[in-house]
Amino acid sequence: MISIQELQHSYKKGKKTVLNIPTLTFDELGVTGIVGHNGSGKSTLLSCVAGLTHPTQGRVRYQQRDTWQHYESIKKDIQLVADEIPLYGSETGWQLIRLVKSLDSNWNQALEDELIPELMIPLDDKVVKLSRGERTKLKILLTLCRNPKVVLIDELTNDLDVETRRIVFKKLDAYSFEKEATILVATNIIHDIERFANRIVLLKEGQILATEDIDSLKNRFKKISLKKTDAYKGTSIKHIHHDELKWDGSTGSMITSAFDSQVLTSLEQMGIATKLENFPLEEIITRLGGSLK
Amino acid sequence: MNISINPQAPLPIYAQLMEQIKSLIYSGHISTGSNLPSVRQLAEQLEVNSLTIQKAYKGLEAEGVITIKKGVGAFVKEGAAQQGQEALAVQLDQDIQTAIKSAKSQDVGVDDFCGRVKETWESV
């Protein structure tokens, strides 16, 4: 659905490249977490995907169309929810909904009727009086009811209370699942990602460190505790693929990022007893070279 | 359905779900023919994403534990509980064999071994 090719961006000519992505695609339903330290390029990436930033080089295509060049025709399908997007402060929530609805022939009335009681936003109040969490929920309502195929959320989840984040993520998940929509969320809150995302794109200084399903990451990163048995003949185990190995000839441990059950069989055949341990996602991100600060 | 998952646990959530649903079926807490909650219901209840629930259901279907009827729901398969209990019995036999092999390699006799089993039994 979305395909990125040779994308590079710097905010001024000759200045530092803030984004450098040779290739990246998004075509699955579900939530993908865009993860990385502050300044790693998360916001720039989302803005390029939405067609709001003209990349210095390369392009982002949505259904074969360049999102920057064809912004007017793709904008009904791709919705970016960002912190800076202003809500008209002098209007009440109801007035704002009516305004946005009147401008959009694609409006999903059934979803509006479903979301309004669930999100519990005080819509009689002026938008400017709403709390941050309430404004966020209003933005999500206004975004999803326009029936987008791609939803981009930029840091909306930062310093929001747990309850609001939970509701927003649940609505995004339900929407994605029912409409087969692609949802990208820039966030560093690992607890939300573990529950609500299927895949992560890990960025560092504008480059991709990893783009992978979370389950697949958890399945391939393993720690194996090792202990020799009487059958062990002293064979070296260095040739078995590993990232880190501690082995004094009788006990130790092996860390691998490419786990395969064959490894356990090989070790056991050599007379070494094994015990398999897993890593939490946060530690996997660190091992991939990522940082969330 | 009484299930709890821990997203911070290293085991993927779909695998945690599969294990717990199977043990509910094997122990008779979910009976044959009864239908499981819908993907959306379970996602809402457990506060995890729907694709993870779907993955767990598909995994259980592949293992022959449940049947998924499109647009209708997921049902516990006939004989799934019995098959499961048999599989668990086989697993137990294998675990016992492993422990015995380890005992033999350390020259631990059968009486000593059984004594240790009894001692440990109470503390587990």
Side-chain angles (χ1 to χ4, degrees), chain A residues 29-31 166 170-171 173-174 177-178 190-191 193-198 213-216 218-219 222 229-230 277-281, chain B residues 5-16 39-40 43-55 102 104-107:
Chain A
L29 62 121
V31 174
R166 195 183 56 93
K170 277 179 158 187
K171 294 301 153 212
D173 173 63
F177 196 69
E178 277 155 24
I190 216 75
H191 289 200
I193 294 173
E194 282 182 313
R195 278 187 182 274
F196 296 106
N198 306 292
D213 276 7
I214 292 170
D215 289 341
S216 136
K218 284 190 171 179
N219 283 333
K222 301 282 179 190
T229 68
D230 291 349
E277 288 172 45
N278 301 297
F279 289 112
L281 185 59
Chain B
I5 48 111
N6 176 8
Q8 273 96 60
L11 193 65
I13 299 171
Y14 78 93
Q16 296 179 38
V39 169
R40 289 285 318 118
E44 177 77 27
Q45 181 198 325
L46 299 175
E47 305 190 331
V48 295
N49 69 73
S50 304
L51 287 178
T52 294
I53 311 280
Q54 196 179 46
K55 193 169 178 180
S102 165
K104 282 185 174 173
S105 78
Q106 295 171 50
D107 287 326

Side-chain angles (χ1 to χ4, degrees), chain B:
Chain B
M1 203 157 57
N2 193 4
I3 293 182
S4 65
I5 48 111
N6 176 8
Q8 273 96 60
L11 193 65
I13 299 171
Y14 78 93
Q16 296 179 38
L17 276 168
M18 284 176 67
E19 282 187 3
Q20 290 194 39
I21 294 174
K22 274 195 279 188
S23 87
L24 286 171
I25 293 171
Y26 298 163
S27 61
H29 286 89
I30 307 177
S31 49
T32 300
S34 63
N35 62 332
L36 298 174
S38 74
V39 169
R40 289 285 318 118
Q41 277 168 353
L42 200 53
E44 177 77 27
Q45 181 198 325
L46 299 175
E47 305 190 331
V48 295
N49 69 73
S50 304
L51 287 178
T52 294
I53 311 280
Q54 196 179 46
K55 193 169 178 180
Y57 278 10
K58 282 188 175 158
L60 290 170
E61 188 182 37
E63 289 186 8
V65 181
I66 65 170
T67 332
I68 300 171
K69 290 182 192 156
K70 253 206 153 147
V72 187
F75 301 87
V76 180
K77 234 178 167 174
E78 192 92 25
Q82 200 193 340
Q83 272 174 28
Q85 281 156 4
E86 282 163 15
L88 288 177
V90 169
Q91 182 65 49
L92 180 60
D93 286 342
Q94 281 172 359
D95 291 347
I96 292 172
Q97 277 186 23
T98 311
I100 292 174
K101 274 184 202 160
S102 165
K104 282 185 174 173
S105 78
Q106 295 171 50
D107 287 326
V108 174
V110 63
D111 293 333
D112 189 6
F113 181 76
C114 291
R116 286 211 212 170
V117 169
K118 275 187 186 158
E119 252 174 54
T120 319
W121 189 272
E122 303 302 329
S123 66
V124 174

Side-chain angles (χ1 to χ4, degrees), chain A residues 31 81 115 118-119 121 132-141 143-144 151 153 155-158 160-176 183 185 192 196, chain B residues 40 44 47:
Chain A
V31 174
V81 184
L115 289 178
E118 288 179 22
L119 291 176
I121 313 161
R132 226 177 99 67
E134 289 161 351
R135 280 211 297 272
T136 298
K137 289 192 283 189
L138 183 55
K139 281 189 219 172
I140 292 293
L141 172 86
T143 301
L144 297 185
V151 182
I153 317 266
E155 300 284 2
L156 204 59
T157 47
N158 274 11
L160 279 179
D161 59 293
V162 181
E163 182 65 12
T164 305
R165 293 198 330 256
R166 195 183 56 93
I167 293 172
V168 167
F169 268 109
K170 277 179 158 187
K171 294 301 153 212
L172 290 172
D173 173 63
Y175 182 82
S176 168
I183 300 189
V185 181
D192 292 344
F196 296 106
Chain B
R40 289 285 318 118
E44 177 77 27
E47 305 190 331

Side-chain angles (χ1 to χ4, degrees), chain A residues 245-262:
Chain A
L245 178 64
K246 285 180 194 150
W247 176 246
D248 61 8
S250 76
T251 57
S253 64
M254 181 183 273
I255 289 171
T256 173
S257 58
F259 177 73
D260 178 329
S261 58
Q262 190 59 42

